[in-house]
Amino acid sequence: MSLLEHFEYTSAGESHGKGALAVVEGVPAGVPLEPYDIALHLARRQMGYGRGGRMEIEEDEGEILSGVRLGETLGSPLTIWIGNEDYENWRTAMSTEPQPDADDGDLRRVVLPRPGHADLVGVLKYDRRDARDILERSSARETAARVAAGSVARQLLAEFGVSIGSHVTKLGGIEADRPDELPEDLNEAADESPTRCLDPEATEKMIRAVDDAGSVGDTLGGVFEVVARGVPLGLGSHVAWDRRLDGRLAGAMMSIQAQKGVEIGMGFEVAEHRGSDVHDEIEYAPERRRAGGFRRRRNNMGGTEGGMTTGEPLVARVAMKPLSSLQRPLDSVDLTSLEKAKAERERSDVSAVPAAGVVGESMMALVLADAMVEKFGGDSLSEMKDNYEAHLERINRHDFEQRARERGD
Ligand code: EPS
């Protein structure tokens, strides 16, 4: 079962196990890919104010194990390995072999499920006696594999002039001023802020909010916005519910650990206005080949109409809940005694919203790469480029009557 059918992503790995493995299938041959292209985004994901001790242990780089030769993809399954440095500290608890001499302490058994986490539901559903069997996989450590796979998708997209960036618009209830015009290089600008926020005043307030929450053992959520530029008109389709690009994108964003809401373009605010205030008026602009020779005066629809890309930037905002690993734990139940107890206190982050933005970029990259391969197909990058050029040619021919006559309509 996958949201991605043409550019597939699978991952494996437990948070404190040996590492995370990303598998990407459907990458055409001939896409330039070097270790740096992956390491760059893995490093960006590790940044961000509010992260806990784990990020000081890990130094994610990503080793390409297959699917690439001499700096170019081969069209074969591509695998990337991200080792866990922390595994050294978890050899007994995360051993794949039975450990008959180890007690519950050595095995770091978890019997106090955290409200908001997968612990309780997972233990019941998977019939386990230890919530560690659940939390090791539900952990957001898996997002490292998403970012590695997303880096491959970005390399493909870059060949078609598509770039993806993100920034944090809200953290711990502090809302940033969003500039009308986003910076040319969105990631370069956002990465300068410790909270990946474009508003320096809000950044300061966010930092203070993280410190305040952390000092009392609490956590913070927020909102990040992801923007793709250079997306051609016509990805996705109106003809079937599961081919709509906005639905696919929303599903991919919601699949990121701890996300609770997704908006495309104006999002929930569309409900507040009249149609004449909301819709993006159309102008003829023959120089805009990627958008079929048309332009919108604004982009309230966030780059999709009828489940298809319009050629305007694709814009999604995603709401992340405050992390559920609290140092000031909430009420729960001890699964061994069924008595009331405080939830487990696991080492964690105060906020991971800045990192989640980078993960959101990666999910948008995967969805767009999937839709590009679906639309332009081909075994190789050059074949895909030929198909892409033919598409641009076709959508920029506006001799509708003439062509209908030629077809004998
Ligand atoms: C996570 C808890 C923390 C985070 C982790 C996700 O890990 P630990 O329990 O080892 O302190 O640091 O994120 C990562 C390891 C990562 O690479 O982003 C969780 O419970 O989801």
Side-chain angles (χ1 to χ4, degrees):
M1 188 169 148
S2 179
L3 283 170
L4 306 170
E5 290 202 345
H6 310 271
F7 191 101
E8 292 173 67
Y9 158 69
T10 320
S11 76
E14 278 72 42
S15 181
H16 304 98
K18 288 184 184 164
L21 182 74
V23 184
V24 191
E25 239 278 271
V27 189
V31 178
L33 182 68
E34 296 194 31
Y36 170 79
D37 303 318
I38 299 167
L40 166 74
H41 297 294
L42 285 176
R44 293 181 57 238
R45 193 198 69 95
Q46 286 202 264
M47 301 185 326
Y49 200 77
R51 296 285 251 158
R54 178 75 185 272
M55 285 306 96
E56 277 150 40
I57 300 173
E58 304 298 342
E59 209 169 310
D60 299 338
E61 284 196 345
E63 184 189 354
I64 302 170
L65 299 182
S66 71
V68 178
R69 181 165 176 263
L70 307 176
E72 284 193 3
T73 58
L74 298 173
S76 55
L78 205 150
T79 47
I80 304 165
W81 173 250
I82 305 152
N84 288 330
E85 300 282 343
D86 205 14
Y87 177 62
E88 284 309 314
N89 306 314
W90 291 77
R91 277 186 175 273
T92 304
M94 292 307 293
S95 171
T96 53
E97 314 272 314
Q99 298 289 315
D101 300 331
D103 62 20
D104 281 352
D106 298 332
L107 297 176
R108 308 218 202 176
R109 182 181 176 198
V110 175
V111 293
L112 306 168
R114 291 159 293 174
H117 217 279
D119 302 349
L120 178 62
V121 184
V123 159
L124 297 175
K125 178 175 160 68
Y126 283 82
D127 193 16
R128 309 311 299 164
R129 67 183 281 278
D130 182 353
R132 182 155 304 283
D133 288 348
I134 306 305
L135 69 90
E136 284 292 334
R137 181 59 185 162
S138 66
S139 163
R141 176 68 181 152
E142 188 265 343
T143 62
R146 295 181 189 236
V147 170
S151 307
V152 181
R154 284 174 193 265
Q155 287 297 107
L156 174 67
L157 295 170
E159 292 294 319
F160 297 88
V162 180
S163 64
I164 302 179
S166 73
H167 62 116
V168 170
T169 61
K170 210 181 212 183
L171 204 164
I174 292 160
E175 186 143 18
D177 256 348
R178 184 195 187 281
D180 287 339
E181 281 282 320
L182 290 173
E184 187 77 41
D185 190 334
L186 177 54
N187 283 338
E188 191 182 54
D191 288 349
E192 270 176 29
S193 152
T195 57
R196 305 202 65 253
C197 171
L198 298 174
D199 174 350
E201 252 178 66
T203 297
E204 289 303 316
K205 288 187 192 158
M206 288 170 179
I207 288 171
R208 278 203 296 278
V210 169
D211 288 342
D212 287 351
S215 70
V216 293
D218 224 322
T219 58
L220 297 176
V223 176
F224 61 86
E225 180 173 80
V226 186
V227 181
R229 291 164 165 142
V231 181
L233 173 144
L235 302 180
S237 176
H238 65 293
V239 302
W241 69 272
D242 52 353
R243 290 180 60 192
R244 288 181 173 258
L245 192 93
D246 36 14
R248 289 152 69 175
L249 182 61
M253 291 301 190
M254 283 298 280
S255 80
I256 304 171
Q257 294 81 343
Q259 311 310 313
K260 281 293 184 189
V262 182
E263 296 183 309
I264 309 279
M266 210 176 183
F268 270 57
E269 215 197 309
V270 291
E272 311 296 323
H273 301 273
R274 292 184 173 191
S276 56
D277 288 336
V278 163
H279 291 291
D280 306 325
E281 287 177 303
I282 301 170
E283 290 172 355
Y284 185 52
E287 75 285 0
R288 296 197 74 232
R289 280 177 52 76
R290 207 181 50 231
F294 296 91
R295 167 188 304 115
R296 306 312 174 97
R297 285 209 197 118
R298 57 191 177 197
N299 186 24
N300 285 342
M301 294 300 111
T304 69
E305 282 176 342
M308 295 174 280
T309 53
T310 58
E312 300 296 329
L314 188 59
V315 183
R317 269 182 311 285
V318 186
M320 181 174 195
K321 69 185 180 185
L323 297 169
S324 48
S325 298
L326 300 175
Q327 300 310 311
R328 185 176 63 175
L330 296 175
D331 286 350
S332 183
V333 172
D334 184 325
L335 297 181
T336 52
S337 64
L338 301 181
E339 300 286 334
K340 182 176 169 181
K342 288 292 176 192
E344 182 78 18
R345 280 167 61 165
E346 280 272 314
R347 175 189 67 186
S348 195
D349 310 319
V350 177
S351 158
V353 182
V358 180
V359 181
E361 293 169 25
S362 308
M363 294 317 289
M364 190 181 274
L366 287 168
V367 168
L368 284 176
D370 183 57
M372 292 282 283
V373 173
E374 173 190 27
K375 176 89 183 98
F376 306 117
D379 300 309
S380 66
L381 178 61
S382 48
E383 188 178 358
M384 216 174 140
K385 280 189 174 173
D386 287 348
N387 296 337
Y388 175 81
E389 283 307 321
H391 168 73
L392 290 194
E393 190 91 348
R394 195 176 310 108
I395 62 175
N396 282 281
R397 278 180 61 179
H398 302 131
D399 51 347
F400 306 106
E401 303 298 329
Q402 166 77 16
R403 293 169 69 199
R405 271 197 301 279
E406 279 169 19
R407 288 195 302 263
D409 295 2

